Amino acid sequence: MKKTIIITILLFIAVIAATIYLFGDFNKNNKQDSKALQYLPENTLAITSFANNETVDTIFKDYELFKAIIGQGNFSNLERLKTELLQSEQLTPFVAGQQILLSFHQEKDQITPLYSVQVGQSLDNNTLATLIGQIGKNYKVQPFDTLGQRFFGLNKGIKDSTLYCAYSHEIIFASYSKQVLAQIFDKNVKKINTKQIEFFVNHNNKNTPLSLYFFNEQLAQVARILMKSKFGNYLNLIDSLKGQTSWNMNFKQDAFIFKGVTDLTGSKNSYLQLFANQTAQVQALGNYLPKNTASYIDFSISDEHSFRSGLKELLIQQKEYDRVSKSIKNLEDDTKVSFDSVIAPLFNDEFALAELDNQDVLGLISISDSSLFANNFKKFSSSVGDSIYQFKYSQLLYASFGEPFKSFTRPYFTIVDGIMVVANRTGILRDYRESFREKQFLSGTAIFKNHAALQNSRSNVTFYLEPKAGKSNILDNLKSDYAKNFKDEEQFGFQNFYSWSYQLSGNQGTFSSSLYALYKSDTRLGGKPEWTVQLESRIINKPWVLDQDGKNKFIMIQEQDHTVHAFSPDGKELWQNLFQGEILGEPIQLQDLSIIIVTKIRLYRIRPDGKNMNGFSVELPSTASYGATISNFNKEQRIYIPATDRILAYSLDGKRIEGFENNTVDSRILFDLKITTLGQTNYIIAGTSTASVYFFNENGKIIRKQSLDTDGESVRNPIGLVAASDEKNSFVYVADNKGSIFKVPFEGESKKIKLGSWGKDAFFNFEDISGGADRDFIILANNKLNAYSSRDSSSYFEYKFIEDASNRPLFFKRIGKSDVLGVGTDNRMIYLFGSDGLVQDGFPIEGFSKFYYGPINYGDNANYLICMKKDFKVYAYKF
């Protein structure tokens, strides 16, 4: 499927919005709008109304999206026009605070604006001529008469720069085209009707910076102006529209958002009108599209009966029903089953059409009952091998869903996860199945996720486009001048729009409608890092931020060859050092700013300049299994290291403390050792892979061992510690592999708490994410993130990842706010969650699963994301 570029329509609408900014502010008196509207031609493409004052200038100061759409040159010209004319000393008393209409009109192969400015008092032509002469010092003023009306031309002395204006009915009309301006006064040109004017006035929102109105039947005409080729499957849907649309702008710094009402009344031959009496549904098929999708359109229905009866009437009107009926009759004669009662009910209430970046096309249809489908699909299809089938009868999908599937005459299909995926070539389906197996979905990308956060989750019709993925198709279909602008990155910024979407939701015969366009951002999608550093290989630990001298911090990163790099907060390398092995656990910085580091075979204590302290490094007699824990029992600091089935102990000068290694545990010690003092007893606590909890004193003597019944299964997660004032109220938490947490007291019997359902691959952490007095149970299992209260085991958030998430969550403190947790997914997307369980603004961002989030220097209250991408560069993003 080619020639499907609806982006041209969206860009046109955005151009209108961009131009509005230069000329106005909030609507204050809707009744004034109708005065100038009644003089505009019936074939007006689009209109907006606003008051002439400077409030919006403040709101949209340096609003980059407008410049990106209309171009740097046009933006400068419009600003000059506003400053020299509308804000001139002579004209301001007449137009300040008055209503302005900005309308757009077709003129040959281009779109031309017309300005209609209401004035606060009556003017005659002599007074107007005097005013124009006074404000036009930088222009050559040329008066002339046509259609019984005095026109003025203001010539800047540059080719095609003449602004033509005329005054009538207490309105100044102006345009760079005298032909367009002349239509206002030509009595033979039919004007906008009263019903349309009432619609625009009634749906204008006073509390929005910008409002936009357009005639639906003109959308196809706009597309024809911009495109050099015929319509395809997407744009065919707008070719027979009637009625009008009114949108109001929701301001966002890095996105265009317009919301309002669309009336398709009178669009009897329109496919989209079938959804006017449906209600919005959650749409899920976008989650099954391959990563290389350039655009798609998703349809959902709430009332199957009304949809199918309406589709039948539409096919009859379009003289298509007889052809479709023949195919259905052939099916029913051959199979002896009813299409309406047996075949049609196999499909659910959602279907979609997608175009890939190579211009291949997929159709997706939700199956209502997988078992029922399995028992019946061979009645209308035959196998071609490799889990791919072909329809035996033509036009069955067209009969079921209408226009979107018209090009699928006898398509091939495959079934994945309750979804029928159709295509006109088997190779397309084989490629799709490979993407599905590897979970390479569009829904897993940063662009899609950020866009999904903007738009409504419920809709009846959603069109989505990523211009970068569809660039070649866009350029193929735009006329040369528009294609040139689209490619020009110096004067225009079309390349900086990540994604566009348009949504329609049925509303008792009309529609709620929305337009969204996601623009680049310094913090969104990793748009603009503060700095980057190129490394030779992948980092194997999350970055750490440590103190350099009490006044400055530094960032420490270890890459795959075990080289450790230290960077200043502005990305300058301070030093590098090669360590013997991967750093285990967390480096620990002591009061003198020295840093304790453990690898499998050595214990290090280094200064902030990367050099070893005297007596270090120290070779370990047993292989370390995690990083160190520092105690301060009896005012003496010691270093404790878990070493598989025993504990190693050292003084701060690197001297080994004997005794610990003689008290081995029953299996591998998991993660770090916990320490606490209760009463007169100092505790060192270890959890093992056989679900045993050991309580040692500071000299390595086992005080208590608690073995837990996990049905013989080993455990794999760190233990959690709650240390109160005494042993009776202090606990250790241990997670099993079946959805339960053991609460192990320092004294007494353990208690088993059922939380959920998970398996041996689940991640359990005991951390404070809710911001309360107690820590929380954090579970990541089966690509689902849950947080539970440790006080009453209640769940207070849940998040389901579409892609695989098999990396342990990371936990960070940030300035002035509650702690956050981060998750890196298997397809290199970084998510950050707050205490409410919502993905934080600006996330997800592309990057490996080892990352840091938080402050990076004294005196800087911002939080930073430090991460690596597949180019082996370290990126620092400011939030």
Side-chain angles (χ1 to χ4, degrees):
M1 176 183 61
K2 298 183 178 180
K3 308 175 183 69
T4 59
I5 305 305
I6 203 170
I7 186 64
T8 54
I9 305 296
L10 306 181
L11 293 178
F12 162 70
I13 293 169
V15 169
I16 297 172
T19 311
I20 294 169
Y21 142 73
L22 295 165
F23 291 91
D25 183 28
F26 305 96
N27 294 286
K28 295 182 178 179
N29 186 349
N30 289 354
K31 293 182 179 180
Q32 295 185 43
D33 293 351
S34 61
K35 185 171 185 179
L37 281 169
Q38 61 187 306
Y39 301 106
L40 298 182
E42 184 184 49
N43 62 358
T44 299
L45 300 176
I47 307 165
T48 189
S49 171
F50 43 90
N52 179 38
N53 58 50
E54 298 184 9
T55 305
V56 164
D57 282 353
T58 302
I59 296 174
F60 292 118
K61 184 174 175 20
D62 299 322
Y63 195 36
E64 194 175 349
L65 283 74
F66 289 156
K67 296 178 184 178
I69 288 293
I70 68 175
Q72 297 288 342
N74 290 333
F75 189 87
S76 297
N77 289 339
L78 289 170
E79 281 192 315
R80 184 172 60 252
L81 182 63
K82 178 180 181 180
T83 302
E84 294 179 358
L85 297 180
L86 284 182
Q87 293 181 345
S88 67
E89 180 182 347
Q90 293 79 13
L91 200 55
T92 293
F94 296 94
V95 300
Q98 297 299 314
Q99 290 303 113
I100 297 177
L101 289 183
L102 175 61
S103 56
F104 286 76
H105 308 264
Q106 181 183 359
E107 187 179 19
K108 296 182 180 178
D109 238 6
Q110 65 183 23
I111 299 170
T112 301
L114 170 72
Y115 309 100
S116 306
V117 187
Q118 296 182 191
V119 298
Q121 55 186 283
S122 297
L123 296 171
D124 55 38
N125 279 328
N126 291 331
T127 304
L128 182 61
T130 302
L131 281 173
I132 291 176
Q134 291 173 343
I135 65 176
K137 295 178 182 179
N138 297 321
Y139 299 84
K140 180 180 180 181
V141 180
Q142 301 170 315
F144 60 95
D145 294 321
T146 185
L147 297 171
Q149 178 66 39
R150 172 61 59 91
F151 280 39
F152 298 89
L154 282 73
N155 191 333
K156 189 71 176 176
I158 305 172
K159 183 180 180 181
D160 299 326
S161 68
T162 301
L163 178 69
Y164 299 95
C165 60
Y167 171 81
S168 181
H169 310 292
E170 297 184 355
I171 302 169
I172 299 175
F173 299 96
S175 176
Y176 285 98
S177 167
K178 58 184 174 184
Q179 289 78 18
V180 168
L181 182 60
Q183 294 181 54
I184 299 296
F185 305 99
D186 190 341
K187 296 180 180 180
N188 295 319
V189 174
K190 196 172 181 180
K191 303 301 190 290
I192 296 174
N193 64 51
T194 302
K195 183 179 178 180
Q196 291 171 322
I197 293 174
E198 289 177 353
F199 179 87
F200 295 153
V201 171
N202 291 338
H203 290 94
N204 184 22
N205 188 337
K206 298 178 181 180
N207 298 316
T208 188
L210 307 173
S211 295
L212 173 65
Y213 320 109
F214 57 91
F215 305 100
N216 299 328
E217 56 263 44
Q218 298 296 344
L219 287 176
Q221 185 58 28
V222 173
R224 290 187 176 94
I225 294 171
L226 304 179
M227 294 175 63
K228 64 184 179 183
S229 49
K230 296 180 180 179
F231 289 175
N233 286 8
Y234 290 155
L235 289 182
N236 277 339
L237 298 176
I238 69 168
D239 202 16
S240 56
L241 295 184
K242 303 294 181 183
Q244 48 273 324
T245 293
S246 174
W247 280 343
N248 296 296
M249 183 179 183
N250 292 19
F251 178 76
K252 199 171 189 335
Q253 193 65 43
D254 56 358
F256 277 138
I257 302 177
F258 286 89
K259 296 182 178 182
V261 178
T262 292
D263 179 13
L264 296 181
T265 303
S267 305
K268 295 181 179 179
N269 205 31
S270 167
Y271 179 78
L272 294 179
Q273 183 62 15
L274 297 177
F275 298 87
N277 288 297
Q278 303 291 322
T279 58
Q281 304 292 299
V282 174
Q283 296 183 316
L285 289 181
N287 296 328
Y288 291 89
L289 293 170
K291 194 173 183 178
N292 65 327
T293 299
S295 60
Y296 74 87
I297 189 164
D298 193 344
F299 301 90
S300 55
I301 55 178
S302 59
D303 185 341
E304 181 181 352
H305 175 73
S306 69
F307 173 79
R308 298 204 181 280
S309 61
L311 177 60
K312 180 178 179 179
E313 293 178 10
L314 180 62
L315 292 174
I316 292 172
Q317 291 175 15
Q318 296 175 339
K319 303 187 186 307
E320 295 280 345
Y321 187 70
D322 288 344
R323 181 165 64 92
V324 169
S325 295
K326 289 179 182 178
S327 293
I328 293 176
K329 187 176 186 304
N330 290 337
L331 165 71
E332 293 179 335
D333 288 347
D334 292 347
T335 63
K336 309 305 179 187
V337 299
S338 166
F339 176 80
D340 289 333
S341 61
V342 177
I343 305 302
L346 298 178
F347 303 113
N348 209 347
D349 56 1
E350 186 180 0
F351 49 97
L353 194 67
E355 184 177 46
L356 309 184
D357 58 5
N358 60 3
Q359 299 184 1
D360 286 341
V361 177
L362 288 171
L364 283 78
I365 304 166
S366 178
I367 294 171
S368 61
D369 186 311
S370 295
S371 298
L372 188 64
F373 185 88
N375 293 333
N376 288 281
F377 78 96
K378 291 184 180 179
K379 294 174 182 177
F380 60 83
S381 67
S382 57
S383 174
V384 297
D386 198 19
S387 300
I388 296 175
Y389 304 85
Q390 184 178 22
F391 279 82
K392 294 178 183 177
Y393 307 94
S394 63
Q395 307 298 339
L396 293 189
L397 293 181
Y398 184 36
S400 299
F401 304 107
E403 183 70 31
F405 289 91
K406 187 174 184 179
S407 63
F408 293 96
T409 306
R410 282 187 57 225
Y412 300 92
F413 69 88
T414 189
I415 305 299
V416 294
D417 203 16
I419 306 294
M420 173 188 274
V421 184
V422 302
N424 284 324
R425 291 190 296 108
T426 58
I428 299 174
L429 295 179
R430 291 191 179 95
D431 290 343
Y432 177 84
R433 291 184 67 87
E434 182 66 22
S435 295
F436 185 84
R437 278 192 293 269
E438 296 180 357
K439 297 192 175 181
Q440 294 297 303
F441 295 125
L442 175 70
S443 55
T445 65
I447 292 175
F448 186 90
K449 288 182 176 298
N450 277 313
H451 196 98
L454 284 179
Q455 68 180 19
N456 292 325
S457 60
R458 291 178 177 270
S459 179
N460 292 119
V461 182
T462 296
F463 173 80
Y464 176 83
L465 170 71
E466 289 189 10
K468 185 177 181 180
K471 184 176 180 179
S472 61
N473 202 7
I474 293 172
L475 293 175
D476 285 346
N477 285 277
L478 288 175
K479 291 178 181 176
S480 59
D481 286 345
Y482 299 106
K484 182 180 178 181
N485 290 345
F486 187 84
K487 292 186 294 183
D488 187 348
E489 296 187 32
E490 291 187 7
Q491 289 297 314
F492 295 87
F494 295 119
Q495 315 298 323
N496 294 325
F497 282 94
Y498 290 123
S499 52
W500 294 76
S501 71
Y502 175 70
Q503 291 186 308
L504 286 172
S505 297
N507 185 18
Q508 299 180 344
T510 60
F511 290 95
S512 298
S513 59
S514 310
L515 172 72
Y516 306 89
L518 182 64
Y519 192 69
K520 73 173 185 179
S521 166
D522 288 354
T523 56
R524 186 187 291 279
L525 306 163
K528 184 181 178 182
E530 293 294 303
W531 50 264
T532 64
V533 173
Q534 181 70 60
L535 297 184
E536 294 296 324
S537 58
R538 186 169 180 164
I539 61 174
I540 55 175
N541 280 302
K542 70 176 184 180
W544 298 287
V545 176
L546 301 163
D547 282 345
Q548 185 177 13
D549 54 17
K551 296 181 180 178
N552 298 286
K553 292 181 180 290
F554 70 96
I555 301 154
M556 196 167 74
I557 296 174
Q558 186 177 34
E559 59 178 322
Q560 206 158 19
D561 68 353
H562 301 153
T563 299
V564 173
H565 301 265
F567 298 100
S568 66
D570 58 1
K572 295 182 175 62
E573 187 166 47
L574 303 174
W575 53 264
Q576 62 176 266
N577 198 352
L578 183 62
F579 281 56
Q580 291 188 38
E582 176 184 348
I583 296 175
L584 303 177
E586 298 281 333
I588 300 174
Q589 192 158 33
L590 303 178
Q591 192 171 0
D592 65 356
L593 302 186
S594 65
I595 303 161
I596 301 295
I597 292 173
V598 176
T599 70
K600 284 185 177 181
I601 60 175
R602 302 197 75 81
L603 168 63
Y604 293 84
R605 184 181 176 188
I606 65 172
R607 294 193 294 262
D609 61 4
K611 296 179 181 179
N612 284 320
M613 299 281 286
N614 290 335
F616 290 89
S617 65
V618 174
E619 184 177 1
L620 300 178
S622 301
T623 302
S625 51
Y626 203 73
T629 297
I630 307 295
S631 73
N632 193 26
F633 299 144
N634 304 319
K635 298 183 179 180
E636 177 190 0
Q637 285 190 302
R638 288 184 179 181
I639 304 168
Y640 296 104
I641 302 169
T644 310
D645 63 348
R646 64 198 65 204
I647 297 173
L648 304 177
Y650 289 86
S651 64
L652 287 190
D653 59 4
K655 303 299 182 182
R656 187 173 169 192
I657 299 171
E658 303 295 335
F660 271 85
E661 69 280 3
N662 297 323
N663 293 324
T664 59
V665 297
D666 58 13
S667 55
R668 180 184 178 87
I669 297 174
L670 297 173
F671 296 87
D672 58 324
L673 302 165
K674 308 296 185 185
I675 60 172
T676 188
T677 298
L678 300 176
Q680 301 299 314
T681 305
N682 299 317
Y683 287 94
I684 302 170
I685 308 158
T688 70
S689 59
T690 53
S692 295
V693 180
Y694 287 81
F695 298 84
F696 295 88
N697 68 13
E698 74 268 29
N699 295 317
K701 180 182 177 181
I702 298 177
I703 302 174
R704 183 183 183 213
K705 174 189 174 183
Q706 176 73 60
S707 296
L708 305 173
D709 183 7
T710 58
D711 296 328
E713 291 190 359
S714 61
V715 296
R716 56 169 288 193
N717 284 294
I719 61 175
L721 172 65
V722 175
S725 58
D726 56 36
E727 282 84 348
K728 290 184 179 180
N729 295 300
S730 299
F731 306 93
V732 172
Y733 289 108
V734 179
D736 70 5
N737 298 332
K738 296 182 178 179
S740 295
I741 304 292
F742 289 92
K743 185 177 182 181
V744 183
F746 281 59
E747 293 180 356
E749 296 300 315
S750 63
K751 178 183 178 182
K752 193 174 182 179
I753 305 167
K754 184 66 174 178
L755 281 185
S757 177
W758 59 74
K760 64 181 181 179
D761 294 328
F763 294 107
F764 164 79
N765 286 90
F766 186 58
E767 299 284 347
D768 177 17
I769 185 64
S770 61
D774 302 308
R775 291 193 176 191
D776 312 293
F777 301 134
I778 310 298
I779 309 292
L780 176 59
N782 304 318
N783 301 326
K784 188 164 61 176
L785 181 67
N786 285 91
Y788 300 90
S789 167
S790 62
R791 181 177 291 274
D792 59 11
S793 302
S794 61
S795 173
Y796 61 86
F797 80 68
E798 177 179 301
Y799 185 88
K800 174 68 175 176
F801 294 95
I802 295 172
E803 61 268 58
D804 284 344
S806 60
N807 300 297
R808 183 173 295 279
L810 303 174
F811 299 86
F812 306 100
K813 294 188 178 295
R814 55 180 176 172
I815 296 174
K817 296 182 180 179
S818 61
D819 295 352
V820 294
L821 72 88
V823 175
T825 62
D826 294 5
N827 66 338
R828 299 188 299 272
M829 299 305 300
I830 295 172
Y831 288 76
L832 200 73
F833 298 88
S835 59
D836 55 5
L838 299 178
V839 179
Q840 300 293 284
D841 287 346
F843 288 85
I845 284 179
E846 181 186 354
F848 289 141
S849 60
K850 308 293 187 182
F851 58 91
Y852 167 84
Y853 182 84
I856 61 173
N857 205 9
Y858 292 109
D860 185 348
N861 291 328
N863 292 292
Y864 291 78
L865 174 71
I866 310 293
C867 66
M868 173 174 274
K869 298 189 181 183
K870 59 184 178 180
D871 57 4
F872 294 151
K873 282 185 179 180
V874 176
Y875 289 76
Y877 297 105
K878 186 176 182 179
F879 287 84

